[in-house]
Amino acid sequence: MSRRVNRVATISVHTSPLDQPGTGDAGGMNVYIVEVARRLAARGIEVDIFTRATSRALPPVAELAPGVLVRNVVAGPFEELDKSELPAELCGFTSGVLRTEASYDPGHYDLLHTHYWLSGQAGLAAKRRWGAPLVHSMHTMAKVKNAALAEGDTPEPQGRVLGEQQVVDAADQLVANTAKEARELVELYGADPARVATVNPGVDLSLFRPEAALLSRSTGLLPHRTGPARRRLRLPRDAYVLLFVGRIQPLKAPDVLLRAAARMLKDDPALRSKLVVAVVGGPSGSGRSRPEGLQALAAELGISDVVRFEPPCPQEELADWYRAADVTVVPSHNESFGLVAVESQACGTPVVAAAVGGLTTAVRDGESGLLIGGHDPNDYAAVLARLHADPVRHTRLARGAVRHAQSLGWDHTVDQLVGVYTGALTTFSPAPVRKSASTSTSTSASASASLTVPV
Ligand code: UDP
């Protein structure tokens, strides 16, 4: 008989669900955790989200939504830390999580859902202590990331690879964002296929929706150009707007868009009076990779006059940027899924993206956007110029984009996750954690220190 999940402990050590996505360490994973938690709570499943307190001013507990609590666990200094500094704080963090649970009756949490390997490490100790199943989402994987490094990116350390392996070996259920990620878990980390479920992340379809004009087939103009989003963002009606959204980091390759724009202007100088390249987002990580480099590149390419840099903004405002854009460009070297691509499509704006990782699921090539192999700016320039010259095709893709995004609502994600949770709880028996060859030799990994947690 299946068992009902009533309360979930979600762990997100390195980034808080209350952080603004699009800068620092906050991105799609934060959005995922918030959207899923809200919807679980609406279905009567309470969620406590444990994260590390980065400021003394943060309360120990904050209500994010009815039925969703954010627990700010004190571990290490009250400041943002680089991900590489976090393994040293995992022991203190995990103790804090365990102390919270110990203040309740046994069995307070039915299940743990951990996000990213650092949280998985904390989850390993909690799983053993609570006798509760561990569901884990990798979001990104060191082995995959290292195989697709952008110029200027540093490889992920071996400690992370080993730490990830430990989590994969011990998790009762792994949640992959795409079928491709599920295969990578099996092929690269030796995960048991029976313990890997594929659940696509989603999009908030009530927030990310097209302007009404797009839905009317009668309009002859490209509907974006007639809409109020352009007025609100002070963009000319006749501009050709190319949009980049996300953290400014080599992995996301915003430089490819800038170089492509420069090439388009070289090929068609008349476009200069119309082209706008909007870059919405902030620096990545703890501020070490700065967006100034991108501004310098724009100057070097002689296109500063057409590039508009915008700070990260709330999703309500972001929806306007998507609606105002002609095309959203996602030239990333890798994406576990690519929420930006789906949000843009939900707003009726086709995506031109690199054919990598989750983007091959997030975008339907030729239907809702166009995928490009590799990262040659000339290829992007050619595709974008062709699309600019072919409004009929653009409109067809815009409509296809809305259709595709509508199959990716968060409610669908949560339907599937509830199934995964129920399955994990029903089949769970608190057995000893499986060991792999790699775990038994991993004592030198910095991550392994976290496994000796005082309780
Ligand atoms: N985002 C935001 N404001 C911004 C820039 C981005 O809220 O100014 C959000 C965006 O809506 C998306 C997320 O950040 O949901 C980025 O997710 P994605 O999967 O595209 O990339 P990740 O950050 O996970 O690499």
Coordinates of all heavy atoms in Angstrom, one line a residue, residues 20-23 25-32 139-140 202 208 245-247 249 251-252 280-282 310-316 318 322 330 332 334-343 359 410, ligand 1:
Q20 N 17.5 36.7 -4.8 CA 17.1 37.1 -6.1 C 17.8 36.2 -7.2 O 19.0 36.3 -7.3 CB 17.4 38.6 -6.3 CG 17.3 39.0 -7.8 CD 15.9 39.0 -8.4 OE1 15.0 39.6 -7.8 NE2 15.8 38.3 -9.5
P21 N 17.1 35.4 -8.0 CA 17.8 34.7 -9.0 C 18.3 35.6 -10.1 O 17.9 36.7 -10.3 CB 16.6 33.8 -9.6 CG 15.5 33.9 -8.7 CD 15.6 35.2 -8.0
G22 N 19.4 35.1 -10.8 CA 20.0 35.8 -11.8 C 21.3 36.5 -11.5 O 21.8 37.2 -12.3
T23 N 21.7 36.3 -10.2 CA 23.0 36.8 -9.8 C 23.6 36.0 -8.7 O 22.8 35.2 -8.0 CB 22.9 38.3 -9.4 OG1 24.1 38.9 -9.1 CG2 22.0 38.5 -8.1
D25 N 24.9 33.1 -6.6 CA 24.7 31.7 -6.8 C 23.3 31.3 -7.0 O 22.9 30.1 -7.0 CB 25.2 30.9 -5.5 CG 26.7 30.7 -5.6 OD1 27.2 30.5 -6.7 OD2 27.4 30.7 -4.5
A26 N 22.4 32.3 -7.2 CA 21.0 32.1 -7.3 C 20.6 32.0 -8.8 O 20.9 32.9 -9.5 CB 20.2 33.1 -6.6
G27 N 19.9 31.0 -9.1 CA 19.4 30.8 -10.5 C 18.2 29.9 -10.6 O 17.3 29.9 -9.7
G28 N 18.3 29.0 -11.6 CA 17.1 28.2 -11.8 C 16.8 27.2 -10.6 O 15.6 27.0 -10.4
M29 N 17.8 26.8 -9.9 CA 17.6 25.9 -8.8 C 16.7 26.6 -7.7 O 15.8 26.0 -7.1 CB 18.9 25.5 -8.2 CG 18.8 24.3 -7.3 SD 20.4 23.9 -6.5 CE 20.2 24.6 -4.9
N30 N 17.0 27.9 -7.5 CA 16.2 28.6 -6.5 C 14.8 28.7 -6.9 O 13.8 28.5 -6.1 CB 16.8 30.1 -6.3 CG 18.2 30.0 -5.9 OD1 19.1 29.6 -6.7 ND2 18.6 30.5 -4.8
V31 N 14.6 29.0 -8.2 CA 13.2 29.1 -8.7 C 12.5 27.8 -8.6 O 11.4 27.7 -8.1 CB 13.3 29.6 -10.2 CG1 11.9 29.5 -10.8 CG2 13.9 31.0 -10.3
Y32 N 13.2 26.7 -8.9 CA 12.7 25.3 -8.8 C 12.2 25.1 -7.4 O 11.1 24.6 -7.2 CB 13.8 24.4 -9.2 CG 13.4 22.9 -9.3 CD1 13.4 22.2 -10.5 CD2 13.2 22.2 -8.2 CE1 13.1 20.9 -10.6 CE2 12.9 20.8 -8.2 CZ 12.8 20.2 -9.4 OH 12.5 18.9 -9.5
H139 N 21.1 18.8 -10.4 CA 21.0 20.1 -11.1 C 22.2 20.3 -12.0 O 22.0 20.6 -13.2 CB 20.9 21.3 -10.1 CG 19.6 21.3 -9.4 ND1 18.4 21.7 -10.0 CD2 19.2 20.8 -8.2 CE1 17.4 21.6 -9.2 NE2 17.8 21.0 -8.1
T140 N 23.4 20.2 -11.5 CA 24.6 20.2 -12.4 C 25.5 19.1 -11.9 O 25.5 18.7 -10.7 CB 25.4 21.5 -12.5 OG1 25.9 21.8 -11.2 CG2 24.5 22.7 -12.9
G202 N 9.6 23.3 -14.7 CA 8.5 23.9 -15.4 C 8.6 25.4 -15.5 O 9.7 26.0 -15.5
F208 N 4.3 34.0 -16.8 CA 5.0 34.0 -18.1 C 4.0 33.7 -19.2 O 3.7 32.5 -19.5 CB 6.2 33.1 -18.2 CG 7.3 33.5 -17.2 CD1 7.5 32.8 -16.0 CD2 8.1 34.7 -17.4 CE1 8.5 33.2 -15.1 CE2 9.0 35.1 -16.6 CZ 9.3 34.3 -15.4
V245 N 19.3 36.5 -20.8 CA 18.9 36.5 -19.4 C 19.7 35.5 -18.6 O 19.8 34.3 -19.0 CB 17.4 36.3 -19.2 CG1 17.1 36.2 -17.7 CG2 16.6 37.3 -19.9
G246 N 20.3 35.9 -17.5 CA 21.0 34.9 -16.7 C 22.3 35.5 -16.1 O 22.6 36.7 -16.3
R247 N 22.9 34.7 -15.2 CA 24.1 35.1 -14.6 C 25.2 35.3 -15.6 O 25.3 34.5 -16.6 CB 24.5 34.1 -13.5 CG 23.7 34.2 -12.3 CD 24.0 33.1 -11.4 NE 23.3 31.8 -11.7 CZ 23.6 30.7 -11.2 NH1 24.5 30.6 -10.2 NH2 22.9 29.6 -11.5
Q249 N 28.4 34.6 -16.7 CA 29.5 33.7 -16.5 C 29.9 33.0 -17.8 O 29.1 32.9 -18.7 CB 29.1 32.6 -15.4 CG 27.8 31.9 -15.8 CD 27.3 30.9 -14.8 OE1 26.4 30.2 -15.0 NE2 27.9 30.9 -13.6
L251 N 30.2 30.0 -18.6 CA 29.4 28.9 -19.0 C 28.2 29.3 -19.8 O 27.7 28.6 -20.7 CB 28.9 28.2 -17.7 CG 28.1 26.9 -17.9 CD1 29.1 25.7 -18.2 CD2 27.3 26.6 -16.7
K252 N 27.6 30.5 -19.5 CA 26.4 30.9 -20.3 C 26.8 31.7 -21.6 O 25.9 32.0 -22.3 CB 25.6 31.8 -19.3 CG 25.0 31.0 -18.1 CD 23.7 31.5 -17.7 CE 23.2 30.6 -16.6 NZ 22.3 29.6 -17.0
V280 N 20.3 40.9 -19.3 CA 19.6 41.1 -17.9 C 20.3 40.0 -17.0 O 20.1 38.8 -17.2 CB 18.1 40.8 -18.0 CG1 17.5 41.1 -16.6 CG2 17.5 41.8 -19.0
G281 N 20.9 40.5 -16.0 CA 21.5 39.5 -15.0 C 22.7 40.2 -14.3 O 23.2 41.2 -14.7
G282 N 23.2 39.5 -13.3 CA 24.3 40.0 -12.5 C 25.5 39.0 -12.5 O 25.5 38.0 -13.1
E310 N 21.3 45.4 -17.9 CA 20.2 45.6 -16.9 C 20.5 44.7 -15.7 O 20.9 43.5 -15.9 CB 18.8 45.2 -17.5 CG 18.4 46.0 -18.6 CD 17.9 47.4 -18.1 OE1 17.4 47.5 -17.0 OE2 18.1 48.4 -18.9
P311 N 20.3 45.2 -14.5 CA 20.6 44.4 -13.3 C 19.5 43.3 -13.2 O 18.5 43.4 -13.8 CB 20.4 45.4 -12.2 CG 19.6 46.5 -12.7 CD 19.8 46.6 -14.2
P312 N 19.8 42.3 -12.4 CA 18.8 41.2 -12.2 C 17.5 41.8 -11.7 O 17.5 42.7 -10.9 CB 19.5 40.3 -11.2 CG 20.7 41.0 -10.7 CD 21.0 42.0 -11.6
C313 N 16.4 41.2 -12.1 CA 15.1 41.8 -11.7 C 14.2 40.7 -11.3 O 14.4 39.5 -11.7 CB 14.5 42.6 -12.9 SG 14.2 41.7 -14.4
P314 N 13.1 41.0 -10.6 CA 12.1 40.0 -10.3 C 11.4 39.4 -11.5 O 11.4 40.1 -12.6 CB 11.1 40.8 -9.4 CG 11.7 42.1 -9.1 CD 12.8 42.3 -10.1
Q315 N 10.9 38.2 -11.4 CA 10.3 37.6 -12.6 C 9.2 38.3 -13.2 O 9.0 38.2 -14.4 CB 9.9 36.2 -12.2 CG 11.1 35.3 -11.9 CD 10.8 33.8 -11.9 OE1 9.7 33.4 -11.4 NE2 11.6 33.0 -12.5
E316 N 8.4 39.1 -12.4 CA 7.3 39.9 -13.0 C 7.9 40.8 -14.1 O 7.3 41.0 -15.1 CB 6.6 40.7 -11.9 CG 5.8 40.0 -10.9 CD 6.6 39.1 -10.0 OE1 7.8 39.4 -9.8 OE2 6.0 38.2 -9.3
L318 N 10.9 40.5 -15.5 CA 11.5 39.7 -16.5 C 10.5 39.3 -17.6 O 10.9 39.2 -18.8 CB 12.1 38.4 -15.8 CG 13.2 37.7 -16.5 CD1 14.4 38.7 -16.8 CD2 13.8 36.6 -15.6
Y322 N 11.0 39.4 -21.7 CA 10.7 38.3 -22.7 C 9.7 38.8 -23.8 O 9.9 38.5 -25.0 CB 10.2 37.1 -22.0 CG 11.2 36.3 -21.1 CD1 10.8 36.0 -19.8 CD2 12.4 36.0 -21.5 CE1 11.6 35.3 -19.0 CE2 13.3 35.3 -20.7 CZ 12.9 35.0 -19.4 OH 13.7 34.3 -18.6
V330 N 20.3 31.9 -26.0 CA 20.8 31.1 -24.9 C 22.0 30.3 -25.4 O 21.9 29.1 -25.8 CB 19.8 30.2 -24.3 CG1 20.3 29.5 -23.0 CG2 18.5 30.9 -24.0
S332 N 24.6 29.0 -24.1 CA 25.4 28.3 -23.0 C 26.2 27.1 -23.5 O 25.8 26.4 -24.4 CB 24.4 27.8 -21.9 OG 23.5 28.8 -21.5
N334 N 26.7 24.7 -21.4 CA 25.8 23.6 -20.8 C 24.7 24.2 -20.0 O 24.8 25.3 -19.4 CB 26.7 22.7 -19.9 CG 25.9 21.4 -19.7 OD1 25.2 20.9 -20.5 ND2 26.0 20.9 -18.4
E335 N 23.6 23.5 -19.9 CA 22.5 23.9 -19.1 C 21.8 22.6 -18.6 O 21.6 21.7 -19.5 CB 21.4 24.7 -19.9 CG 21.7 26.1 -20.2 CD 21.6 27.1 -19.1 OE1 21.0 26.7 -18.0 OE2 22.2 28.1 -19.2
S336 N 21.6 22.5 -17.3 CA 20.9 21.3 -16.9 C 19.5 21.2 -17.4 O 19.0 20.2 -17.8 CB 21.0 21.3 -15.4 OG 19.8 21.0 -14.8
F337 N 18.8 22.4 -17.6 CA 17.5 22.5 -18.2 C 17.4 23.8 -19.0 O 17.4 23.7 -20.3 CB 16.4 22.4 -17.2 CG 15.1 22.2 -17.9 CD1 14.8 21.0 -18.7 CD2 14.1 23.1 -17.8 CE1 13.6 20.8 -19.3 CE2 12.9 23.0 -18.5 CZ 12.6 21.8 -19.2
G338 N 17.5 24.9 -18.3 CA 17.4 26.2 -19.0 C 16.0 26.8 -18.9 O 15.2 26.9 -19.8
L339 N 15.7 27.2 -17.6 CA 14.4 27.8 -17.4 C 14.2 29.0 -18.2 O 13.0 29.3 -18.6 CB 14.3 28.1 -15.9 CG 14.2 27.0 -14.9 CD1 13.9 27.5 -13.5 CD2 13.1 26.0 -15.3
V340 N 15.2 29.8 -18.4 CA 15.1 31.1 -19.2 C 14.5 30.7 -20.6 O 13.6 31.4 -21.0 CB 16.5 31.8 -19.3 CG1 16.5 32.7 -20.5 CG2 16.8 32.5 -18.0
A341 N 15.0 29.7 -21.2 CA 14.5 29.3 -22.5 C 12.9 29.0 -22.4 O 12.2 29.4 -23.3 CB 15.2 28.1 -23.0
V342 N 12.5 28.3 -21.4 CA 11.1 28.0 -21.3 C 10.2 29.2 -21.0 O 9.2 29.4 -21.5 CB 10.9 26.9 -20.3 CG1 9.4 26.4 -20.3 CG2 11.8 25.7 -20.5
E343 N 10.8 30.0 -20.1 CA 10.0 31.2 -19.7 C 9.8 32.1 -20.9 O 8.7 32.7 -21.2 CB 10.8 32.0 -18.6 CG 10.8 31.2 -17.3 CD 11.9 31.7 -16.3 OE1 12.6 32.7 -16.6 OE2 12.0 31.1 -15.2
L359 N 18.8 22.1 -22.9 CA 18.2 23.0 -23.9 C 17.6 22.2 -25.1 O 16.7 22.7 -25.8 CB 19.3 24.0 -24.4 CG 19.7 25.1 -23.4 CD1 20.9 25.9 -23.9 CD2 18.6 26.0 -23.1
W410 N 4.6 24.1 -14.0 CA 5.1 23.6 -12.7 C 4.2 22.5 -12.1 O 4.6 21.6 -11.4 CB 5.4 24.7 -11.7 CG 6.6 25.5 -11.9 CD1 6.7 26.8 -12.3 CD2 8.0 25.0 -11.8 NE1 8.0 27.2 -12.4 CE2 8.8 26.1 -12.1 CE3 8.6 23.8 -11.5 CZ2 10.2 26.0 -12.1 CZ3 9.9 23.7 -11.6 CH2 10.7 24.8 -11.9
Ligands
UDP1 N1 16.1 35.2 -13.2 C1 15.4 36.2 -12.5 N2 15.8 37.4 -12.7 C2 16.9 37.8 -13.5 C3 17.5 36.8 -14.2 C4 17.1 35.5 -14.1 O1 14.4 35.9 -11.8 O2 17.2 39.0 -13.6 C5 15.6 33.8 -13.1 C6 14.9 33.3 -14.4 O3 13.6 33.7 -14.4 C7 15.1 31.8 -14.3 C8 16.4 31.6 -13.5 O4 16.7 32.9 -12.9 O5 14.0 31.2 -13.7 C9 17.6 31.1 -14.3 O6 17.4 29.8 -14.5 P1 18.1 29.0 -15.7 O7 17.7 27.5 -15.6 O8 17.9 29.6 -17.0 O9 19.7 29.1 -15.4 P2 20.6 28.7 -14.1 O10 20.7 30.0 -13.3 O11 19.9 27.6 -13.4 O12 21.9 28.3 -14.6

